[in-house]
């Protein structure tokens, strides 16, 4: 079947669930054809929009083409596409963000619209409906089971030998659910394929298309210093005995700060070789595997640049012993994260002096990407670390403010805050003590006195906030383009 | 040993861990003697303060007497005592709040100061150190094991026949932790006693003292309407098939709204008899047991008024088949909450139009009680419901504001919001849709237009907040005593 023939079987108002997690493992051909179809329908004056559930962000061939075609009615969960971001910030598409571990169960519970259609990218398929995925899993097992109609994009870019890298497991729903029997990152609990009822497979589209994964921003002196601060802190925790000497599995977020952190941990001789239990396996993890600094990685996706993915594919026999891809309700499972005792390291867009984190909203209003898995991990981690450069836009924005303009992770999910300035250890501190530690250790020099002055404005109380001034940094930035212009003299305690 | 002799063995700067959860199961005698000792030391010009870890709130004989004696250096986690509240809001005592399920593991991990002393209230003790607790468990097993010195208050008010109602289980720490093997509220996984090394038991103080549990505020027309709204909503979810027909275990918060909700569920014929998996077993649960509307209750405490507790004690053979008390890391376990699929119903102090919840801070600054178990439950529930009266102080405060002044539970942990006005079902809604639903269904009439006007002020974006006006309701209340005086005309979009 051609992509166009498949797209012709999708209707206005349909709900579609996709395989993939980040741009890895996402279908590409049918959605590109669907976007063209939507544009033709719109040209005829007819409505054409679909609801979309994905694992996380996608490549441009889902979110980009459909957003530009104004063909997205609603979209969940995480996204990172420029054009989709524009669409959801202008309410052209309704976007509902959620913790990535929760999407599969909410689809099963009937809390969200049922996907009539599933589109899966596969590296192989058998006559009896065994579907072998490509470089990610995401929500694929659940949408394949719930959907009435399944399309397969059989992408020959991915080798059939990938079979075996996936571990497909879907828990029963309450009241019949049992434990998720993962006790170590390498534990296999499911099957290497998704079993799909062959009668539901409406078409197979053959493709040969690479993942649409761009290069990460390279690390710089600021991110490298953050990485060293994290690595030094973790090695001191091992020395103190607060982290077991054999270390614990690492969960690490996505992007250049996360890459710098992994790099610094890899080169720190006081940190033993470690396992990874995370959602996104990035280039840095493969690099550390080559150096025997990472011994195993469990994730939901291989979000690797093309050269690194091709290297993995050229040595699959070896890497299949060291890498395992799971559905996101397992890779991000609160139960498993807490049991394994993950050291969780995630990046903040903004923090406040009391230790709350904004991961998603620029100046409290514009959605950047979404909450992703950060909440699944930080809440349930053995130790939760958040990182951020202390300033942005050349100092015009302080990443640390009196009150976050949007709150994704509360003070209780944030144990350690790290900037290039230093490390604040917030464990066991009252709010006023946390504020003092964060201002002293993490805030950029030009903002320290302003934030100390803010603390004096606080209404007397456990958390000394001032309701008139709490968001004054953001209001000042919106009005003048520079938080340093904030005038705290106009407020009274 | 007398209480005074025990108190004499406690030093300035000691850290003490207590049994109990709410005023149930807390020691009373040694701390009363300790407060007198602290006052005497202070009169001599000597410092005397101790650090305190409890299960949750306590009776006046811990938090009250020690706060009034200025003898608390730090205190964690939940509290609800008037004098302690005053102390922590004025920073006389440092208070760090946390999710109740996390305290035991953070004590074991060494993230918090180690309790040198444990004081346990017991209904029985054997020569080889088997300690049978009274009407709650809390953090008792962990502090009994970590402490160097253990004192027992053997309280003859509680019958020895209580033995068997407790299920004491402490998980191993990562990387050795296994699943918590609770698959149903009635599953027993541990022992009926705490095993304490007899060599550590420094003294036994015999007492005969009732729990210091005050009466709950009675329900009124507003709380009864909230209760009916919750019960009607849940019964419609059962009819729709989104909640299994056999229903799921209920977690319910503490207080008069929670009592009204349980009462309404009990009298709704479309809701089947149900099990309870919660932290605090209140009077309403026992009442529903008598009517065979609650078939089993697993909790951390029997927080019952004296007549109801005495009735339970008079019929222990029967109630021990239907009630089980667990440590709080099990009663509040995220793993178990998600597996069992709890219907979680908790009370908000304040909500915002985007579905975020403030459970703790009055006007963003003054700590009321603490986050308690609400975060453990709402994040991991099958379905999370928050309730609140739509206004407070005769309408001078709207419980629903543009932005919560303190955020404890984010939009992602809040699926259903219920006031006496009605029910907002937030599942699958984008922020702007949530705002419209909450204003329409939950907000008090006199605040609807003000909040609609606020939405128009929102900076264009996914979550249309206005950084200048977001906290204007609170600022107006602080300055004029009535949120209805807020003037949104002075802000620009």
């Amino acid at each position: 079947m051609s992509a166009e023939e498949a797209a012709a079987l999708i209707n206005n108002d349909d709900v579609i669930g996709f395989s993939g997690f980040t741009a890895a493992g996402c279908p590409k051909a049918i959605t590109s054809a669907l976007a063209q179809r939507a544009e033709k329908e719109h040209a005829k004056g007819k409505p054409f929009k679909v609801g979309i559930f994905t694992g996380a962000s996608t490549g441009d061939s889902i979110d980009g083409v459909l957003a530009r075609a104004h063909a997205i009615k609603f979209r969940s969960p995480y996204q990172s596409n420029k054009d989709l971001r524009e669409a959801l910030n202008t309410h052209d598409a309704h976007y509902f963000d959620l913790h990535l571990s929760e999407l599969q169960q909410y689809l099963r519970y009937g809390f969200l619209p049922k996907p009539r259609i599933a589109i899966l990218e596969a590296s192989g398929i058998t006559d009896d409906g065994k579907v072998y995925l490509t470089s990610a899993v995401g929500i694929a097992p659940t949408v394949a089971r719930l959907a009435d109609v399944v399309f397969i994009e059989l992408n020959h870019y991915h080798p059939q030998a990938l079979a075996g890298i996936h571990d497909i497991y879907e828990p029963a729903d309450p009241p019949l659910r049992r434990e998720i029997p993962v006790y170590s990152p390498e534990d296999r609990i499911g099957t290497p394929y998704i079993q799909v009822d062959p009668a539901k497979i409406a078409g197979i589209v053959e493709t040969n298309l690479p993942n649409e994964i761009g290069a990460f921003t390279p690390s710089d002196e600021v991110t490298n210093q953050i990485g060293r601060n994290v690595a030094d802190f973790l090695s001191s925790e091992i020395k103190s005995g607060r982290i077991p000497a054999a270390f614990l599995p690492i969960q690490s977020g996505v992007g250049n700060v996360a890459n710098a952190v992994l790099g610094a941990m890899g080169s720190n001789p006081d940190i033993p070789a470690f396992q990874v239990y995370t959602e996104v396996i990035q280039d840095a993890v493969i690099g550390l595997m080559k150096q025997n600094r990472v011994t195993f990685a469990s994730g939901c996706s291989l979000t690797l640049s093309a050269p690194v993915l091709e290297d993995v594919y050229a040595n699959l026999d070896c890497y299949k012993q060291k890498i395992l891809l799971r559905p996101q309700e397992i890779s991000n499972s609160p139960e498993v994260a807490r049991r394994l005792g993950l050291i969780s390291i995630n990046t903040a867009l903004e923090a406040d002096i009391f230790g709350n984190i904004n991961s998603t909203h620029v100046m409290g209003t514009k959605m950047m990407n979404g909450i992703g898995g950060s909440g699944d991990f930080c809440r349930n981690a053995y130790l939760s670390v958040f990182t951020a450069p202390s300033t942005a836009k050349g100092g015009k924005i302080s990443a640390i403010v009196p009150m976050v303009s949007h709150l994704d992770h509360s003070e209780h999910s944030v144990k350690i805050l790290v900037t290039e300035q230093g490390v604040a250890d917030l464990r066991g501190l009252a709010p006023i003590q946390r504020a003092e530690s964060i201002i002293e250790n993490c805030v950029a020099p030009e903002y320290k006195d302003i934030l100390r002055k803010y603390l004096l404005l606080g209404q007397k109380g456990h958390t000394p906030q001032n309701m008139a001034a709490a968001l004054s940094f953001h209001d000042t930035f919106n009005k003048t383009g520079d938080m340093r212009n904030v005038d705290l003299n106009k407020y009274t305690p």
Side-chain angles (χ1 to χ4, degrees), chain A residues 68-378:
Chain A
R68 290 191 292 274
H70 305 285
I72 300 179
K73 181 181 178 188
F74 67 79
R75 170 75 170 77
S76 188
Y78 189 87
Q79 58 74 39
S80 67
N81 181 278
K82 182 170 64 67
D83 296 310
L84 177 56
R85 187 180 296 132
E86 174 68 16
L88 62 89
N89 277 313
T90 56
H91 308 165
D92 182 46
H94 279 310
Y95 173 66
F96 47 95
D97 196 16
L98 43 65
H99 300 297
L100 296 186
S101 77
E102 296 180 347
L103 178 52
Q104 290 176 266
Q105 69 181 25
Y106 290 151
L107 286 170
R108 289 195 300 265
Y109 296 170
F111 289 180
L112 300 172
K114 180 194 139 151
R116 188 180 76 86
I117 293 169
I119 308 181
L120 312 182
E121 185 181 81
S123 61
I125 180 167
T126 63
D127 289 343
D128 62 346
K130 290 184 170 59
V131 175
Y132 295 86
L133 297 170
T134 64
S135 49
V137 180
I139 60 172
T142 299
V143 294
R145 199 166 50 70
L146 293 179
D148 302 320
V149 173
V150 177
F151 294 106
I152 305 291
E153 288 193 15
L154 186 61
N155 187 346
H156 297 292
Y157 176 84
H158 300 282
Q160 288 198 337
L162 259 184
I165 205 166
H166 311 96
D167 187 49
I168 305 299
Y169 177 92
E170 227 190 337
D173 288 332
L176 302 177
R177 189 173 291 174
R178 303 290 297 184
E179 69 273 24
I180 297 170
V182 173
Y183 306 99
S184 174
E186 68 269 29
D187 284 353
R188 293 194 155 272
I189 63 175
T191 58
Y193 54 80
I194 298 177
Q195 180 66 57
V196 180
D197 175 359
K200 294 204 303 189
I201 299 179
I204 298 176
V205 176
E206 295 197 64
T207 69
N208 194 326
L209 298 166
N211 285 328
E212 297 163 329
I213 295 172
F216 285 115
T217 314
S219 56
D220 56 25
E221 188 36 50
V222 168
T223 57
N224 286 337
Q225 185 60 46
I226 292 172
R228 285 191 296 271
N229 288 350
V230 171
D232 289 349
F233 172 77
L234 292 178
S235 74
S236 76
E237 286 290 294
I238 296 173
K239 283 200 197 82
S240 75
R242 284 188 291 269
I243 294 179
F247 213 37
L248 288 167
I250 298 298
Q251 176 268 324
S252 170
V254 185
N256 61 340
V257 175
N259 268 323
V261 167
L262 284 173
M265 288 176 59
S267 58
N268 187 313
D270 296 327
I271 294 182
F274 56 92
Q275 294 184 310
V276 167
Y277 194 89
T278 195
E279 48 183 25
V280 173
I281 298 174
Q282 294 192 98
D283 283 7
V285 172
I286 305 299
L288 292 176
M289 270 189 180
K290 283 174 177 287
Q291 302 164 39
N292 296 315
R293 295 290 289 147
V294 165
T295 56
F296 194 90
S298 165
C300 189
S301 72
L302 285 171
T303 306
L304 304 174
S305 62
V308 177
L309 184 64
E310 282 158 23
D311 175 52
V312 168
Y313 282 178
N315 298 281
L316 260 181
D317 282 352
C318 168
Y319 281 110
K320 272 159 65 176
Q321 309 299 315
K322 294 186 176 182
I323 295 175
L324 197 161
L325 298 180
R326 307 181 188 273
Q328 67 204 66
E329 69 182 322
I330 309 301
S331 65
N332 289 32
S333 160
E335 170 180 338
V336 175
R338 189 148 164 168
R339 181 186 303 145
L340 298 185
L342 303 186
I343 310 286
S344 146
I345 308 162
N346 291 288
T347 308
L349 191 62
E350 176 176 84
D352 70 30
I353 52 175
F354 301 108
N356 301 288
I357 297 290
N358 171 10
S359 299
T360 55
H361 282 68
V362 177
M363 298 296 145
T365 58
K366 296 240 192 270
M367 170 58 72
M368 177 64 83
N369 298 332
I371 197 166
S374 54
D376 293 319
F377 292 118
C378 72

Side-chain angles (χ1 to χ4, degrees), chain A residues 382-385 411-417 424-427:
Chain A
Y382 183 95
L383 184 63
S384 160
V385 180
E411 52 189 319
H412 309 297
S413 293
V414 184
K415 301 296 185 288
I416 312 293
L417 184 64
D425 182 348
L426 308 176
R427 290 173 292 185

Side-chain angles (χ1 to χ4, degrees), chain A residues 354 403 454 457-459 463-472 491-493:
Chain A
F354 301 108
M403 177 189 274
Y454 176 79
L457 280 180
Q459 306 267 340
T463 300
Q465 289 282 18
N466 181 300
M467 290 294 105
L471 299 170
S472 59
Y491 304 104
T492 48

